Structures are given as structure tokens and as C-alpha cells.
Amino acid sequence: MRHRVVLIPGDGIGPEVAKAAQRVTDATDVAIEWDVRAAGASVMEREGTPLPDDVLHAVRETRTALKGPITTPVGTGFRSVNVALRQDLDLFAAVRPARHYPGVPTRHPGVDLVTIRENTEDLYQGIEFERGSARTEELRDALVRLAGYRIPDDAGVTLKPISVSGTRRIVRFALDYARRNGRKRVTLGHKANIMRFSDGVFVNTARQIDRDEYPDIDIEEMQVDQLAMTLVQEPETLEVLLLPNLYGDIISDVAAGLTGGLGLAAGANLGWEYAVFEPVHGSAPDIAGRGIANPLAMILTAALMLGHLGEHDAADRAERAVANLLEEGATLTPDMGGTATTDEVAVALVGRLRGEGSP
Ligand code: NAD
């Protein structure tokens, strides 16, 4: 079966790592028809927008995209492309595996966890009141009436909505993910003792869905500060983390750092209908165009995509090729202590997948 996938190379090192990922994916012999679309700073001038309509249409058609990093335009009045994709395609779940591969320096060998982060609500919803503005003044007055509390007149405010409906879908998504991937325990991070009416909704909704619909999976509730400590002390005990937006953003970076950092961190933004796979790292303008970007995060991201397309064997082979390369340690880019170029890493992986060189 032939899969159609939109490839958005992106900005900075994006095209370099995207090309490497495309070559390695093709070397798995899964038939993919790549629909390459430009988005980001590179098309701003020509198209007048960093996210031309044809890109969104193409993703709606294929339902799956592999995306390189995109430079967030500052002060142009445009939404970040990443935020626009997330909102327009309703990609409510951010999924980031953090697995340790032998050969990568770490204090914690054996880590193999996945962070699932709610992607649309919480403090990131963008409901903000600027310090000193008339709207904030109105809010202050309303809060005196509604909550009997006057916030200081020099305060700025960001609101934290967490809904039952928004929580339901991320909880079901996480529990389905655990079930599909043979994981028995999902650790839910929260601070419901302090934020009773936002994190409280998250915890109570999850508890009920778990009890009623997923008796085979345990949800372990953990305060997010304790979760942070567990992550640095015994991360190998964690399987799947389920977190509201802000905690998820922070905790998933800690998990990535524990297992090798930006050069290896793969990710996906998923909804019920569409899937956009992208590495965690940005466009790295400091090294763009030099041919030394580490393509492994993008390649592991492509492997996640293969799994999503049902090509589990190809996904496993691509990941094993990366693991093998890391263990051998001979063909790595400078960020991982090696001297190889992006292309050399891609060639080494293609060779492994085609059965030349090391198994
Ligand atoms: P960055 O991830 O681009 O770079 C941080 C550091 O890590 C830099 O020193 C960079 O050289 C290094 N690095 C990152 N990826 C690497 C790789 N694959 N190989 C080798 N070294 C790598 O973060 P930043 O500098 O904060 O952001 C740069 C731009 O990227 C900004 O415009 C930011 O908004 C954007 N960004 C986009 C995304 C995305 O599209 N999903 C994510 C993060 C940042």
C-alpha cells in the first residue's frame, strides 16, 4: 500500500534534516508519495504568509505530515505556524517518547517513557490580561465581586481553563495509547491540591474514565513536583506520563534531556483526524546551511510516523538502525561528539537498512 505524506522541510536546518529523514524512510522500502510543501520564514516574502493555504489543504487531504522546524516570526503579526497547525487541525495531543539508547551518555540507562501532553488548554490558551490595561482593571473589579479578592494593580494575569471535554479526549487518547503499546500504567501529573478547579477537573475526569472504561490500565496520580523528582531520581520506573499543557511542556523537555537531548528528541502532534510529526528541536539558525545538523531526531520522528501509518516493522527497523549507529558511535554529528555530516549519518543509516555494513 502506498501512503501519501506531506513533507514540510521548514526553516534553518529543517531542509537538511528533512532530506536525511526522507532518504532513510525511503530505505525502509515503505512506499511513500511525498507531497513536499513549503511553510515558514522561507515563504513569508513570496506568499505573504508563513502558512499558505495549500499546505493546510494538503495535510487535510493526506491526514499525515512530517514537518521540520519552523522559525517563529517575531513581530510580523502572524500566528506561529506551529500554533496555527495545532489549532486549525485540532491536534490536541503532543506525544514525545524519551528512550535511552546504549552508547548515549546518561545517568539513567533503561529509561523508556512517553509523555502525552494536552495541547490546547490550560495557561497556554492565550487568555491574558496585560498589567495596567483597562481590561485588566475591569477584571480586577469583577474579581472583587466574584472572588472577594483584589489582585495587585501592578499585576498581569494569565488564565488557566481546563475543561471536562478537553480532558476527556486527552485521557482517552493516553489510555488508548497505553493499551495499544502494551503499557500498564499511566502517571498523571497535577497540582490539584492547589488548583482545585482546573487541575481538579483534570484529575477527577481522568479518574472516572479510567474506572469506567479502562480497568486494564492503572492511572497513578502524582503531584507534578513529586513527578519532577521521580524523573531525575528513578525515571526508569515511569512508563507513560499524562499531563496538562504547561506541565507537559516542561516535563517532556526534562525527559528529553535525560535521554540524550535535542538531537534525539522526536515528537508528534496528534488529533483524532490528523497527525503532524515533528522533532522537538528548532531551526537552529546558528548551524543552518553547514551540513552538520544532527538528523537523528527527525529520523526517529519519521519512524514514529511509520508506526502511525501501520508500518510497524519499518518503524522498528529504522529505530534499530539509529540505535545501532548510536551504540557504535562512529558516525555521529558534532553535537554528539562526532565529526560526521548530516549526509554521512543518512548514508550510514540507509546502508544499515539496506543490509550493508553493521546489522
Ligand atoms: P533550537 O532547537 O533551534 O536550537 C537550540 C540549540 O540546539 C542551538 O545551539 C542549536 O544549534 C542546537 N540544535 C538544535 N537542533 C539541533 C540538531 N538537530 N543538530 C545539532 N544541533 C541542534 O532552539 P532555538 O534556538 O531556541 O530556536 C530557533 C528557532 O526555532 C526559533 O525561531 C524558534 O521559534 C524555532 N523553533 C521551532 C520549533 C518547531 O518548529 N517545532 C521548535 C522549537 C523552536
Side-chain angles (χ1 to χ4, degrees):
M1 181 183 156
R2 206 172 175 77
H3 304 280
R4 282 187 64 211
V5 170
V6 171
L7 178 68
I8 305 171
D11 297 318
I13 61 170
E16 302 164 48
V17 296
K19 186 173 132 213
Q22 197 180 3
R23 285 167 74 183
V24 172
T25 309
D26 287 341
T28 63
D29 284 337
V30 170
I32 292 189
E33 187 183 323
W34 300 97
D35 180 356
V36 182
R37 301 279 170 162
S42 52
V43 297
M44 270 282 288
E45 209 163 295
R46 197 177 67 229
E47 305 275 348
T49 167
L51 184 61
D53 283 346
D54 69 282
V55 183
L56 263 180
H57 286 152
V59 181
R60 286 212 165 91
E61 238 178 81
T62 61
R63 293 170 181 265
T64 309
L66 178 62
K67 172 187 160 298
I70 283 182
T71 302
T72 301
V74 180
T76 58
F78 285 105
R79 276 185 305 173
S80 123
V81 170
N82 300 317
V83 173
L85 282 172
R86 211 172 291 162
Q87 290 177 344
D88 294 355
L89 300 173
D90 201 18
L91 306 172
F92 62 83
V95 177
R96 287 200 198 166
R99 173 177 289 176
H100 175 253
Y101 297 101
V104 179
T106 181
R107 294 199 178 94
H108 296 285
V111 174
D112 182 10
L113 64 89
V114 176
T115 307
I116 296 178
R117 159 189 171 196
E118 200 288 326
N119 227 355
T120 64
E121 300 198 306
D122 192 353
L123 284 160
Y124 286 19
Q125 188 139 4
I127 311 169
E128 298 219 87
F129 294 84
E130 189 179 0
R131 173 177 70 88
S133 71
R135 287 172 63 246
T136 306
E137 195 54 36
E138 264 183 63
L139 179 73
R140 291 176 64 229
D141 291 345
L143 284 176
V144 172
R145 281 197 319 278
L146 294 171
Y149 180 76
R150 180 173 290 282
I151 50 178
D153 59 10
D154 56 355
V157 179
T158 303
L159 295 189
K160 173 168 171 157
I162 293 190
S163 67
V164 171
S165 48
T167 302
R168 271 195 188 131
R169 60 183 187 173
I170 193 71
V171 170
R172 290 201 172 104
F173 179 95
L175 293 169
D176 282 345
Y177 179 95
R179 204 178 251 173
R180 267 200 324 277
N181 290 278
R183 309 222 177 190
K184 291 278 173 240
R185 186 166 41 99
V186 172
T187 304
L188 181 157
H190 69 91
K191 205 70 191 165
N193 52 331
I194 308 291
M195 282 163 278
R196 289 173 299 149
F197 304 134
S198 48
D199 284 16
V201 164
F202 200 80
V203 172
N204 289 328
T205 306
R207 209 177 269 169
Q208 191 177 351
I209 292 175
D210 186 40
R211 193 189 52 217
D212 296 348
E213 300 171 33
Y214 296 83
D216 50 325
I217 314 271
D218 280 343
I219 286 193
E220 168 191 40
E221 296 166 16
M222 199 181 280
Q223 298 206 13
V224 72
D225 42 351
Q226 190 196 340
L227 173 57
M229 177 127 74
T230 306
L231 252 185
V232 296
Q233 288 187 331
E234 40 178 10
E236 58 287 335
T237 63
L238 298 164
E239 294 184 50
V240 177
L241 308 182
L242 167 61
L243 295 153
N245 211 336
L246 172 67
Y247 308 146
D249 191 9
I250 299 167
I251 291 288
S252 60
D253 266 33
V254 176
L258 283 171
T259 48
L262 278 180
L264 292 177
N269 289 306
L270 307 174
W272 294 133
E273 282 191 81
Y274 306 109
V276 176
F277 294 82
E278 60 176 346
V280 171
H281 65 70
S283 54
D286 52 335
I287 58 164
R290 292 170 51 197
I292 55 164
N294 186 351
L296 294 181
M298 187 73 173
I299 290 165
L300 289 169
T301 300
L304 281 183
M305 182 191 76
L306 285 170
H308 173 83
L309 293 171
E311 300 288 355
H312 299 289
D313 175 58
D316 287 349
R317 282 187 288 120
E319 189 185 3
R320 270 205 309 276
V322 170
N324 182 256
L325 193 84
L326 288 165
E327 188 159 20
E328 196 183 86
T331 315
L332 299 175
T333 44
D335 59 302
M336 302 209 65
T339 55
T341 63
T342 312
D343 280 350
E344 284 165 354
V345 172
V347 167
L349 290 170
V350 168
R352 278 169 172 73
L353 284 162
R354 297 231 183 272
E356 305 154 17
S358 312

